Amino acid sequence: MLYHDRKALMASNRKNRLEIVQYGRMLHENGFVAATDGNLSVRLDDEHLLVTPTCISKGRMRASDMVIVDMAGKRLAGKRRVSSEIGMHLLIYRMRPDVCGIVHAHPPTATGFAASGYDLNRPLVCEVVVGLGSIPLARYGTPGTPELTDALEPLIPHHDAILMANHGVVTFGSSLESAYMKMETVEHFAKIALVSHLLGNEQPLGEKEVEKLHEVRNRYNHTGNAASPRRPAASDDLRSDDLQSDDLRSVTK
Ligand SMILES: [Zn+2]
């Protein structure tokens, strides 16, 4: 889809800016990021992404802070510099046409696993198997470089949530909400995995049970989202100076 119609792009842009503000705030409030960590993005159409800027707390962003880039990562609109992790977002959107939202954060428990060389692949909780399948660990790569994207590339086609060694987590989905929910699931599951490990009596599901859950997972994948999306009530967050229609002129020319 490509918005040749400026009005349609404006509407999508406005809604998505508010969504990024909302989920950025939730990342911060949940302690999934510290300082200026993390980044979020939304696919506006086939040629445009809306991305968070670099060097800003994800808990204190305004709609006007976002940057619009093309599929080569070139800034088309926005006053701030785009996130240094734009390469990771571009790779995921290129490889996964079904993905419309991406969240990258450093939730402490899941990142603790990633910093200890552990994936989160063990089938300890049925709903995590249905929702995410497994959560692999990508080898370490310096942030913002091809090392990082090379490490993620083989995992992107088969997973919606990936641990990044000595770094953090990236999740993606058919909407920003879906990507955000997966981030919550990963961190919650990491806590459960840690507790069951501490108790010393982990009892992962057997192969047969996992197979049955994968059947359920495939059914969900063919019929749409397992969790029906609920839009954030973000309209209150819009300030009159948040949306500069000038921002969009270059995109809709
Ligand atoms: Zn990071």
Side-chain angles (χ1 to χ4, degrees):
M1 181 173 54
L2 183 60
Y3 293 114
H4 291 294
D5 173 6
R6 182 163 181 270
K7 243 185 174 175
L9 179 60
M10 275 284 281
S12 157
N13 191 355
R14 176 192 151 105
K15 175 180 79 75
N16 288 306
R17 280 171 188 256
L18 293 173
E19 247 185 8
I20 292 179
V21 168
Q22 173 93 2
Y23 288 116
R25 194 179 296 149
M26 287 167 76
L27 283 181
H28 188 260
E29 283 168 1
N30 279 316
F32 293 176
V33 289
T36 59
D37 295 348
N39 34 74
L40 305 93
S41 71
V42 167
R43 193 199 295 269
L44 287 175
D45 65 17
D46 291 346
E47 295 180 4
H48 303 107
L49 306 178
L50 187 63
V51 190
T52 50
T54 188
C55 298
I56 191 169
S57 164
K58 301 306 166 294
R60 297 171 57 182
M61 295 184 293
R62 296 194 317 173
S64 58
D65 290 326
M66 307 312 158
V67 183
I68 296 177
V69 298
D70 64 16
M71 293 309 283
K74 187 177 161 232
R75 182 172 62 178
L76 301 175
K79 294 184 188 81
R80 290 175 172 270
R81 274 194 307 130
V82 72
S83 163
S84 56
E85 291 294 4
I86 183 66
M88 174 174 73
H89 292 249
L90 290 168
L91 177 72
I92 294 167
Y93 286 120
R94 273 193 223 114
M95 294 186 76
R96 292 280 301 271
D98 59 309
V99 167
C100 288
I102 299 175
V103 174
H104 165 58
H106 307 155
T109 318
T111 304
F113 275 77
S116 306
Y118 293 120
D119 58 39
L120 283 167
N121 282 341
R122 298 190 83 194
L124 294 167
V125 175
C126 54
E127 286 180 356
V128 175
V129 177
V130 173
L132 289 174
S134 58
I135 307 160
L137 172 67
R139 71 173 188 277
Y140 179 74
T142 309
T145 71
E147 263 178 26
L148 180 78
T149 42
D150 288 353
L152 289 171
E153 193 168 347
L155 300 170
I156 290 170
H158 315 291
H159 301 276
D160 293 344
I162 302 171
L163 302 186
M164 300 149 76
N166 304 94
H167 185 166
V169 182
V170 62
T171 55
F172 31 98
S174 57
S175 64
L176 186 63
E177 177 175 45
S178 154
Y180 174 81
M181 292 301 170
K182 286 169 188 168
M183 186 62 74
E184 279 198 352
T185 299
V186 169
E187 178 63 359
H188 193 241
F189 178 55
K191 288 179 185 167
I192 293 168
L194 180 61
V195 171
S196 61
H197 178 74
L198 289 173
L199 291 171
N201 192 30
E202 289 161 299
Q203 312 223 352
L205 292 162
E207 222 171 280
K208 255 195 187 152
E209 296 306 326
V210 171
E211 216 171 280
K212 278 193 257 175
L213 293 172
H214 278 159
E215 278 168 29
V216 177
R217 174 169 165 73
N218 289 339
R219 257 203 318 276
Y220 274 129
N221 282 345
H222 290 153
T223 54
N225 262 342
S228 89
R230 183 188 55 78
R231 296 258 161 244
S235 52
D236 291 344
D237 301 329
L238 181 64
R239 294 152 59 141
S240 57
D241 60 339
D242 276 346
L243 292 173
Q244 307 281 328
S245 57
D246 284 357
D247 264 8
L248 294 166
R249 250 163 230 160
S250 56
V251 187
T252 50
K253 257 178 202 161

